[in-house]
Amino acid sequence: SKTFTLLNSGKTTGVFQLESSGMQKLCRQIELSCFEEIIALIALYRPGPMQFIPQFVKGKKDPESINVPHPLLKNLVEETYGVLVYQEQVMQAAQIIAGYTLGDADILRRAMGKKIKSVMDQQKEVFILGAKRSNNIDSKTATTIFQLLEKFAEYGFNKSHSAAYAMLSYRTAYLKANYPTEFMAAILTSEQGNASKISYFLDECDSMKIPVLSPDINESGINFTPIIN
């Protein structure tokens, strides 16, 4: 709970991937409540998918506003509040709706991401026929779903990549929330030799009410050392 309180306060200076002013604002806006939302946040906060952030936030705060592309995809988009955030979701959607194998779905994802028209035209036909064969979905509905997948595939991020980042984000936030003095001492030590960064993190210590003592020939070690009373 301490970790999520810290994240939602936006006091994320020193927290991996979440320390920019934009990310701090977004943490406060989303009000993170689970690890999966950190994964989504990192995947969304990039040029392109940022346009879907308001939809994600609205879906979290008002479940009634979530627009599911098709009832069969309800479970797939539940975690991300109706937004197809990840490449894996685009692939799974093709698998669920049109009976694609995961290998074929990856070919579709790459074609969508690279906008290869010849391959796209071919895939569109395969998708529509597959949707009819697998779920008796009419051509018009299948075309609408295909266009939606195409839109998201252009910006989709790899979930496993985002999850690895999110784990580091959570761990650094956990350390800052639970061991603030030790955490800031470690960060300052890692930035030794970089005066502007040292100054930046000293300001953060000040805002956290952590006093940083001046160098002392009798007391100081080689690194910044936490003194816990």
Side-chain angles (χ1 to χ4, degrees), residues 87-113 116 119-120 122-127 129-130 133-134 146 149 153:
Q87 292 175 0
E88 289 90 338
Q89 283 176 306
V90 172
M91 291 168 63
Q92 284 178 284
Q95 194 182 20
I96 293 165
I97 296 292
Y100 274 63
T101 65
L102 281 176
D104 289 337
D106 192 43
I107 292 168
L108 173 69
R109 175 194 64 77
R110 275 180 286 171
M112 286 178 164
I116 307 168
V119 180
M120 285 297 296
Q122 181 190 355
Q123 286 295 330
K124 185 175 180 181
E125 193 176 327
V126 171
F127 188 90
L129 288 171
R133 184 177 60 252
S134 300
F146 184 87
L149 294 183

Side-chain angles (χ1 to χ4, degrees), residues 130-199:
K132 182 69 177 174
R133 184 177 60 252
S134 300
N135 295 296
N136 199 27
I137 295 170
D138 63 83
S139 173
K140 185 180 176 184
T141 304
T143 301
T144 302
I145 296 169
F146 184 87
Q147 288 168 342
L148 187 70
L149 294 183
E150 193 176 359
K151 172 185 169 187
F152 282 105
E154 186 179 349
Y155 303 118
F157 197 61
N158 184 284
K159 185 179 182 181
S160 55
H161 190 135
S162 193
Y165 274 13
M167 179 58 78
L168 286 173
S169 301
Y170 180 82
R171 284 175 173 170
T172 48
Y174 174 87
L175 290 170
K176 187 176 184 183
N178 291 279
Y179 304 96
T181 304
E182 293 90 339
F183 179 77
M184 293 310 296
I187 283 197
L188 284 162
T189 297
S190 74
E191 296 293 353
Q192 282 187 120
N194 187 335
S196 61
K197 282 279 192 180
I198 291 286
S199 175

Side-chain angles (χ1 to χ4, degrees), residues 37 45 47 49 85-87 111 121 127 153 161 189 197 209 229:
E37 288 174 359
Y45 195 75
V85 176
Y86 310 114
Q87 292 175 0
D121 291 342
F127 188 90
H161 190 135
T189 297
K197 282 279 192 180
K209 308 268 190 298
N229 294 323

Side-chain angles (χ1 to χ4, degrees), residues 21 23-24 68 151 161 169:
S21 59
M23 271 294 200
Q24 290 180 5
V68 179
K151 172 185 169 187
H161 190 135
S169 301

